[in-house]
Amino acid sequence: MSKLTITANYRRDGDDWAVAVRANGKELDATAPGLIAARLAADQLVDEIATGRPDRAVVHMLEGDAFAFSVAYLHTRAGLTPPEPAGAPEASTAHEQVIEA
């Protein structure tokens, strides 16, 4: 029997986080008030979708990007503000000025 591969894809949903867990053509969804809570909800959905399958691997992704999820989740767990996702517009700061000669 091969290992069951499960994906958990997270995305912002207003002030909340939505997570979709997929495996073998099944999908379960949940919404939670924060990334940590969404991760806990994903664990519950994984248990439900993979009932009786101890041989499973779960890939957690932030809008399809596993690395971005890891960075955001670890920052959140440490109480830090996660960095903006790649491609997000950068906030301008007052201390950045272009000096022309």
Side-chain angles (χ1 to χ4, degrees), residues 33-46:
L35 186 56
I36 303 295
R39 175 65 169 77
L40 293 171
D43 287 343
Q44 293 173 344
L45 296 176
V46 165

Side-chain angles (χ1 to χ4, degrees), residues 20-62:
V21 174
R22 293 184 181 101
N24 284 347
K26 296 180 190 176
E27 182 176 326
L28 299 174
D29 300 302
T31 304
L35 186 56
I36 303 295
R39 175 65 169 77
L40 293 171
D43 287 343
Q44 293 173 344
L45 296 176
V46 165
D47 287 342
E48 186 177 335
I49 210 166
T51 302
R53 295 287 307 263
D55 59 333
R56 59 192 188 206
V58 182
V59 178
H60 297 270
M61 300 177 289
L62 177 58

